[in-house]
Amino acid sequence: MPKIKVLCRNPDDYLRETKNDIHKVPRSSSAQHPFKEQREYVRTLNAVKLERTFAKPFLGALDGHRDGVNVLCKHPTSLALLLSGACDGEIICWNLPRQTSTAKVQAHEGFVHGMAAHKSGQYFFSCGNDKTIKQWSIDAQGIIGGEPVNTLLGKCIYTSLDHHWKDDIFVTSGSRVDVWDERRSEPLRSFSWGVESVHHVKFNPVETYLLGAAAHDRSILLYDMRGSAPLRKVILKLRTNAISWNPMEAFTFTSANEDGNLYTFDMRNLSMPLNMHIDHTAAVMDVDYSPTGREFVSGGFDKMIRIFPVDKGHSREVYHTKRMQRVGSVRWSRDSKYIISASDEMNIRMWKAVAWEKLGKLAPREKAAMNYSEALKKRYGAFPAIRRIQRHRHVPKHVFNALKQQHETQEASKRREERKRAHSRQGSVPYVSVKKKQMVGEVE
Amino acid sequence: MSEQKSSAKDLDLEKKNKRKKRTKNAKRYYDDKDQKDEKDDGDASKQKTETFTVDGADVSRRRLAKWKKRRMAKIDGGDPSRSKVAKQQKTAFEHGEEAGYVEFESDEEHDSRLSQTDIVDAVDVTSATKHFDLSLKDFGPYYIDYNRSGRHLVLGGKRGHMAAFDWQTKKLHCEFNALETVNSVKWLHQETLLAAAQRSGVYVYDNQGVEIHVLQQLDAVLRMEFLPYHMLLVTANEKGFLGYTDVSMGTRAASICTGLGRLDVMTHNPQNAVVLLGHAPGTVTMWTPTTKGPVMKMLCHKAPVSALAVDSTGNYVATSGVDRRLKVFDLRTCQPLSTTRLTMGASSLDFSQRGLLAAAMATRVQVYRDVCRQTSVVSPYLSHMCGGSVQQLQFCPFEDVLGVGHQRGFTSLIVPGSGEADIDAMEVNPYATKKQRQNAEVKLLLDKLQPEMIGLTNWVKDLSSKSRSRPPVSKQPVKKLGKKEKEQEVREKKRASVKTEDKQEYDPTDVLARFRKR
């Protein structure tokens, strides 16, 4: 007599015991999942369409300034506070979540060119058109002391200011780069290379003794604060407006150039930029890195804010509003979630870094669903139908036409070069990287 | 006050106990697995001897097995004595479920054909009730369809008698007479909708028997198939029309004039949603909604094809013709694998989830095991004589049951080892509550695939593979043939007369076509 066994299931194993339990969902790794790739593809399509539906990055505008906003300064210890300096010399401290100003102070006569805070967050420095550097105290609520704690009188207009990330040192730029100790009234050290004036200076957050400066002769200078002479200089075709160091990689920095491109350099090899980021149609005014070090935001003269990944040549996101005019300054908040932009029309705007993200505390299922969507987009993002939806951004007419024109001129120049190469001796028209073409040279 | 306090305390205690109970339950659910594992360790030796039909392994399965192996090594402490088969059964053990089997004690009994009475006697009470006979003599031969989850069954008699019920609990949903000739019945994506192919059109009924839709454009339909992931109802016409209807939108996805006469043999490939039709010249053709002609044509028999069935893995097709042969072909290469002689052409064929093949010849039903893997003649695993001539056979999805619709009604036969033991509730859940069913329907609609995505090859899988720079390599190994081998191949091809009109289906999203190897 053969031994027979028939498949028999106990429903109790598959049904929940009480109303308060969750439903049982038996899973099987050996079960068949037909069309799993197709279904995932359809889910990715849906996810990408939803992403575009929920892409509403604008959070709010802070208004209170009476002249165009020139500089933004992130508060080192508080995520809620932000300092801004305007072209009429006024400095305002804002409470970002409440979207109100906590303190206003008439700091300078003329433009406020630079602002930087001490790492403790208890005081900050500002420099302006009136050739002074002022030190102000600020408390946890964002109230600025009515009178400056200290005033330093200088000989030239200071064009920018940055504070050391660790020590009590700050650096200013003007006709030359001056390194100051907070307690002294004369600069510790002065760097100058040639007769040019320097208009932007930034300290490296990781290798804290390194400085990068952008000078008027279209060059970017690198200094070691401890030494007496500058390290290196790289000259580009057009002037650099701002530079920003990568907070995760000590030797990488990105420069915002007048020609509408951004160049990411590796400090150790300045002969050619690591990457060239193309998408702005006019000069790029400011650049700031995300705390993750993977992306940076740039604001341009073409009224756009663009977010670029470090390794890609084109932007992943563009923010614009009809009301926003030339963007003078952009900052990425310290929790890598928000972007703050200061523009000509006296407004400071807050944006989400990831436009479709849901803010606030998410339920675990929500989080899981969003993670799943992100994973799907990563996996199937290269399919043309999906990429087309994901890349779609509306952009104002002037930018759209300018980009089209840019594209056409690029194609035309490529074609011309190819023809030249085809009709000349082999090797006489070498292939030169686009990145290299924008550089003039490097000087020790 | 004190009373209130004490009652409050009681409430707290109650809450605590409830919480404890809840966590206990949860723990029990998870711990159950481990406990059962320990229990079954003793039985492991028994299972070693049994033969286990494992469906054709694909790459993901192999990788999964490797991962399982590594995991098992960690849990067991690297117990080499556990056979591969026993290890694969681990998932079934997690719920205490293992696939059915029949273990013959001696060689002479190996050839014997089991009868239903033997099985019913040998098996427990609940399983024994799965064998039942419905004597419905008046309304003609019955067409049947099991739900995707295997819980619900619909019977449609040729003379119009229709009944839908949950066959496990024997709860009747509806019973009515359509007052017309019914040629086919099919459940749609949920157990609340069923379609009946009546003379005047395709009627869609609720599970309460309420007529919901009438698709008069689909008249004289002989066979119906439902593609669940695309939500397409495929209908084969007396006049040679193949119609695809999108059930979620109610639109016609495609209507193909095949030009091949009366279409009364139809099945579909569950892995790629391609529809197979059998014709009088002995050919089998394959169709997709986007192509006007057949995607593939195979000459299978020297006489009309009487029945077709495709394996659940989509790799094999079993065909039977009036020439009294039962042939199994490999669908990927379209080469014949085996030929069996039958007493007469099978009128109905069906593959179970675990690879058993059921064939119906007049009143006799025979079940074969391991048909796809053997090239020699197989003897039947089970045999049964029904009350009347069999109209349609279908295996119940997650049970060891074969449903037979015949002239005199309906019979449910127990076939040990035919049903899949593991259920993945995210795909289909036989124990779904109403809410779960509704949510699943929404998810199914969101993930609905477009008819343009149906094709012989899985282009999404090919193009989403990591090495996008290289064109995707076809699954068939490309052998370099010598002169003799080439001649042999040509001869073989002539014999099988396989015409692969492998037209590349028009894929509107297929911008990356140039990456594909032609």
Side-chain angles (χ1 to χ4, degrees):
Chain A
M1 197 45 200
K3 183 183 172 195
I4 303 171
K5 195 214 163 265
V6 172
L7 177 61
C8 184
R9 285 197 189 88
N10 183 1
D12 288 338
D13 288 342
Y14 293 87
L15 297 168
R16 62 180 182 179
E17 279 150 355
T18 66
K19 211 172 58 168
N20 298 319
D21 289 336
I22 55 167
H23 287 288
K24 288 186 186 167
V25 178
R27 299 304 301 274
S28 155
S29 45
S30 58
Q32 295 225 339
H33 299 280
F35 304 106
K36 55 175 180 261
E37 293 91 11
Q38 279 97 325
R39 283 191 278 165
E40 283 183 348
Y41 174 79
V42 171
R43 282 182 202 155
T44 317
L45 258 182
N46 291 339
V48 139
K49 287 176 188 172
L50 281 178
E51 181 196 292
R52 292 288 96 220
T53 314
F54 290 124
K56 295 179 183 170
F58 183 61
L59 289 171
L62 310 167
D63 85 314
H65 275 295
R66 284 164 303 167
D67 205 341
V69 187
N70 213 8
V71 212
L72 285 175
C73 174
K74 292 191 273 194
H75 195 276
T77 53
S78 165
L79 286 175
L81 297 175
L82 177 83
L83 292 158
S84 61
C87 296
D88 62 350
E90 194 177 36
I91 291 179
I92 299 183
C93 181
W94 304 92
N95 184 316
L96 290 176
R98 298 213 180 113
Q99 299 190 12
T100 54
S101 65
T102 57
K104 284 189 197 184
V105 68
Q106 183 61 39
H108 296 276
E109 297 164 4
F111 283 44
V112 175
H113 275 299
M115 281 202 303
H118 182 257
K119 69 165 197 231
S120 66
Q122 285 166 355
Y123 51 92
F124 69 93
F125 295 85
S126 70
C127 68
N129 241 354
D130 56 355
K131 303 183 189 173
T132 53
I133 300 169
K134 294 187 180 175
Q135 181 181 0
W136 307 85
S137 69
I138 180 167
D139 71 352
Q141 264 67 50
I143 313 286
I144 305 174
E147 285 301 312
V149 170
N150 197 8
T151 310
L152 296 165
L153 302 166
K155 292 164 209 155
C156 62
I157 293 175
Y158 294 110
T159 49
S160 101
L161 193 150
D162 195 28
H163 199 284
H164 199 270
W165 288 80
K166 289 194 183 152
D167 299 335
D168 292 347
I169 290 171
F170 64 90
V171 66
T172 59
S173 67
S175 60
R176 51 173 200 217
V177 176
D178 291 326
V179 180
W180 302 74
D181 187 312
E182 282 173 16
R183 292 155 293 203
R184 308 268 174 83
S185 56
E186 287 297 316
L188 274 181
R189 207 171 283 121
S190 294
F191 297 108
S192 67
W193 190 331
V195 210
E196 90 295 348
S197 64
V198 183
H199 57 265
H200 191 91
V201 74
K202 265 273 161 69
F203 264 116
N204 188 327
V206 185
E207 299 288 335
T208 49
Y209 48 83
L210 289 173
L211 295 181
H216 241 87
D217 64 347
R218 303 130 51 223
S219 63
I220 303 171
L221 298 135
L222 292 173
Y223 297 99
D224 184 333
M225 195 188 75
R226 306 167 296 189
S228 58
L231 290 173
R232 258 168 212 275
K233 178 178 182 172
V234 62
I235 308 173
L236 296 159
K237 275 196 177 157
L238 288 180
R239 192 188 71 176
T240 302
N241 284 325
I243 70 167
S244 177
W245 292 91
N246 189 330
M248 284 289 135
E249 279 176 21
F251 38 81
T252 318
F253 67 89
T254 302
S255 64
N257 214 320
E258 268 294 311
D259 64 358
N261 302 335
L262 294 112
Y263 299 93
T264 305
F265 283 95
D266 184 335
M267 203 189 94
R268 304 165 294 187
N269 180 13
L270 287 172
S271 57
M272 198 166 85
L274 280 180
N275 219 332
M276 187 165 123
H277 308 276
I278 310 167
D279 254 341
H280 278 281
T281 54
V284 190
M285 302 310 294
D286 197 13
V287 65
D288 190 38
Y289 263 90
S290 157
T292 60
R294 297 270 189 91
E295 293 183 320
F296 58 83
V297 62
S298 66
F301 207 65
D302 59 351
K303 311 169 195 175
M304 304 280 116
I305 296 168
R306 284 190 184 265
I307 302 175
F308 292 86
V310 167
D311 48 351
K312 297 273 160 69
H314 287 276
S315 58
R316 74 148 172 95
E317 191 69 77
V318 56
Y319 295 156
H320 60 91
T321 323
K322 259 194 194 154
R323 292 192 180 178
M324 183 162 77
Q325 303 305 315
R326 318 288 177 184
V327 182
S329 184
V330 278
R331 288 286 177 270
W332 203 307
S333 73
R334 287 229 154 97
D335 56 355
S336 80
K337 278 189 176 216
Y338 307 101
I339 288 168
I340 299 135
S341 68
S343 48
D344 251 5
E345 24 63 63
M346 313 174 224
N347 276 103
I348 297 169
R349 283 184 180 77
M350 292 193 298
W351 312 79
K352 284 191 233 176
V354 177
W356 57 90
E357 197 178 46
K358 187 175 176 183
L359 300 174
K361 184 149 169 58
L362 299 177
R365 280 196 195 185
E366 265 184 309
K367 226 193 247 179
M370 291 195 175
N371 287 339
Y372 181 59
S373 298
E374 291 300 315
L376 281 176
K377 280 182 239 168
K378 225 181 187 179
R379 181 122 204 255
Y380 294 92
F383 281 84
I386 290 168
R387 206 178 64 222
R388 184 179 146 262
I389 298 170
Q390 218 175 8
R391 277 188 338 139
H392 180 258
R393 298 284 186 282
H394 174 259
V395 123
K397 205 186 263 185
H398 71 275
V399 173
F400 181 76
N401 291 333
L403 282 173
K404 218 162 74 168
Q405 213 175 45
Q406 235 179 35
H407 182 74
E408 277 171 23
T409 43
Q410 255 173 27
E411 293 289 302
S413 64
K414 267 192 208 168
R415 242 179 292 134
R416 252 178 270 130
E417 207 184 305
E418 279 303 311
R419 282 183 198 143
K420 243 196 209 171
R421 200 169 285 128
H423 295 279
S424 39
R425 186 168 42 93
Q426 241 192 13
S428 58
V429 185
Y431 286 98
V432 182
S433 161
V434 178
K435 299 184 257 183
K436 189 108 187 171
K437 281 187 193 164
Q438 304 300 328
M439 293 205 29
V440 172
E442 189 193 346
V443 186
E444 273 294 318
Chain B
M1 269 292 279
S2 56
E3 270 186 22
Q4 280 182 349
K5 269 193 186 171
S6 58
S7 62
K9 265 193 187 171
D10 288 344
L11 273 173
D12 279 332
L13 268 174
E14 259 185 59
K15 272 190 190 168
K16 260 194 185 173
N17 288 339
K18 255 192 188 169
R19 242 181 277 140
K20 269 193 191 165
K21 196 188 175 192
R22 247 181 276 154
T23 49
K24 244 197 215 170
N25 288 341
K27 264 192 188 171
R28 219 193 298 157
Y29 173 61
Y30 290 112
D31 285 345
D32 252 358
K33 287 188 256 169
D34 300 329
Q35 282 177 19
K36 276 173 184 163
D37 291 345
E38 289 169 43
K39 277 187 206 165
D40 287 318
D41 259 342
D43 290 339
S45 51
K46 279 191 191 167
Q47 266 94 56
K48 268 190 227 166
T49 52
E50 77 163 308
T51 50
F52 200 100
T53 50
V54 180
D55 297 329
D58 54 15
V59 180
S60 59
R61 265 276 184 90
R62 242 179 268 141
R63 273 206 213 122
L64 202 80
K66 264 192 192 170
W67 175 83
K68 266 194 202 171
K69 206 180 179 182
R70 257 185 267 142
R71 208 184 79 154
M72 291 299 288
K74 278 188 191 169
I75 294 169
D76 297 344
D79 184 8
S81 63
R82 292 198 75 180
S83 67
K84 189 182 178 184
V85 157
K87 280 181 191 170
Q88 277 174 340
Q89 278 188 300
K90 177 79 175 177
T91 46
F93 288 158
E94 281 170 17
H95 292 283
E97 249 75 76
E98 41 181 86
Y101 58 86
V102 176
E103 214 177 86
F104 292 98
E105 276 168 19
S106 56
D107 268 333
E108 53 185 51
E109 288 195 59
H110 213 60
D111 288 321
S112 73
R113 295 170 192 191
L114 285 177
S115 73
Q116 287 295 302
T117 42
D118 291 337
I119 296 171
V120 166
D121 289 334
V123 137
D124 58 293
V125 178
T126 38
S127 304
T129 56
K130 290 180 185 170
H131 169 58
F132 62 92
D133 207 349
L134 296 174
S135 176
L136 307 157
K137 296 178 195 165
D138 303 321
F139 290 96
Y142 278 82
Y143 296 91
I144 63 167
D145 190 41
Y146 280 105
N147 200 16
R148 249 182 101 205
S149 62
R151 279 298 288 268
H152 304 273
L153 174 64
V154 63
L155 300 177
K158 190 115 187 157
R159 298 214 187 97
H161 177 218
M162 301 261 296
F165 56 104
D166 177 344
W167 69 272
Q168 287 179 17
T169 58
K170 309 290 188 297
K171 178 175 176 268
L172 182 71
H173 295 314
C174 70
E175 186 176 2
F176 61 94
N177 197 307
L179 303 172
E180 233 186 343
T181 315
V182 168
N183 288 321
S184 184
V185 281
K186 207 89 192 146
W187 285 107
L188 296 183
H189 58 282
Q190 290 285 4
E191 61 255 33
T192 49
L193 286 173
L194 59 102
Q198 293 172 210
R199 186 76 218 165
S200 57
V202 170
Y203 283 66
V204 178
Y205 295 98
D206 191 13
N207 66 352
Q208 303 300 311
V210 175
E211 193 181 288
I212 297 195
H213 298 291
V214 178
L215 302 162
Q216 275 164 350
Q217 278 195 316
L218 307 171
D219 64 326
V221 170
L222 295 175
R223 289 293 181 101
M224 291 199 293
E225 288 288 327
F226 187 67
L227 307 174
Y229 296 101
H230 304 80
M231 302 196 68
L232 289 173
L233 182 67
V234 190
T235 51
N237 203 324
E238 213 174 51
K239 293 160 191 160
F241 279 86
L242 191 63
Y244 287 81
T245 311
D246 187 335
V247 150
S248 60
M249 299 294 288
T251 54
R252 255 331 180 77
S255 176
I256 305 168
C257 176
T258 60
L260 296 169
R262 198 185 145 95
L263 305 172
D264 53 1
V265 179
M266 180 165 84
T267 190
H268 80 279
N269 186 339
Q271 291 296 322
N272 60 10
V274 155
V275 161
L276 287 88
L277 297 171
H279 305 285
T283 51
V284 167
T285 49
M286 296 192 204
W287 303 83
T288 58
T290 46
T291 44
K292 284 193 179 158
V295 166
M296 187 112 80
K297 255 194 209 174
M298 275 165 53
L299 179 64
C300 299
H301 292 276
K302 292 177 189 168
V305 175
S306 56
L308 274 180
V310 177
D311 195 20
S312 63
T313 59
N315 294 333
Y316 307 104
V317 62
T319 66
S320 177
V322 176
D323 58 353
R324 287 176 274 148
R325 299 280 193 280
L326 168 68
K327 291 191 181 181
V328 178
F329 290 82
D330 185 337
L331 266 182
R332 291 168 294 184
T333 57
C334 291
Q335 298 300 323
L337 288 178
S338 70
T339 310
T340 315
R341 266 200 141 187
L342 304 171
T343 50
M344 58 186 288
S347 63
S348 183
L349 285 172
D350 193 38
F351 269 104
S352 87
Q353 281 178 322
R354 295 190 69 228
L356 275 75
L357 176 65
M361 290 151 278
T363 54
R364 181 176 283 275
V365 171
Q366 283 184 335
V367 181
Y368 298 90
R369 204 159 59 155
D370 282 344
V371 176
C372 309
R373 298 165 133 245
Q374 297 178 15
T375 48
S376 57
V377 170
V378 282
S379 62
Y381 169 55
L382 266 187
S383 184
H384 183 82
M385 290 285 280
C386 295
S389 67
V390 174
Q391 187 66 38
Q392 191 177 1
L393 283 179
Q394 199 183 3
F395 275 102
C396 183
F398 291 101
E399 299 287 334
D400 277 350
V401 158
L402 170 66
V404 181
H406 52 81
Q407 192 98 35
R408 298 275 176 85
F410 172 77
T411 309
S412 173
L413 305 173
I414 301 177
V415 180
S418 64
E420 179 64 56
D422 292 336
I423 294 179
D424 193 333
M426 302 291 253
E427 290 284 329
V428 66
N429 191 355
Y431 299 96
T433 60
K434 186 178 174 189
K435 262 257 159 74
Q436 282 181 316
R437 176 175 58 77
Q438 288 170 338
N439 286 337
E441 183 173 9
V442 173
K443 291 230 162 76
L444 192 68
L445 280 166
L446 283 172
D447 292 345
K448 186 184 87 166
L449 304 173
Q450 295 302 314
E452 292 83 34
M453 291 171 108
I454 298 176
L456 281 177
T457 53
N458 186 349
W459 59 270
V460 180
K461 187 177 179 184
D462 291 341
L463 291 177
S464 73
S465 58
K466 281 184 184 174
S467 55
R468 264 188 64 241
S469 52
R470 296 201 303 269
V473 184
S474 56
K475 274 189 181 174
Q476 306 168 29
V478 179
K479 285 188 288 177
K480 281 196 171 177
L481 300 167
K483 197 179 181 186
K484 271 192 187 174
E485 289 169 65
K486 278 188 188 166
E487 281 179 33
Q488 206 178 45
E489 231 200 6
V490 167
R491 258 182 271 139
E492 271 184 28
K493 273 196 175 173
K494 277 190 181 169
R495 257 184 261 144
S497 302
V498 172
K499 285 185 195 171
T500 49
E501 284 179 15
D502 206 352
K503 293 181 193 169
Q504 210 67 25
E505 314 86 49
Y506 168 64
D507 184 12
T509 55
D510 196 12
V511 176
L512 299 168
R514 60 173 192 259
F515 283 91
R516 244 186 267 142
K517 217 177 187 179
R518 289 293 288 160

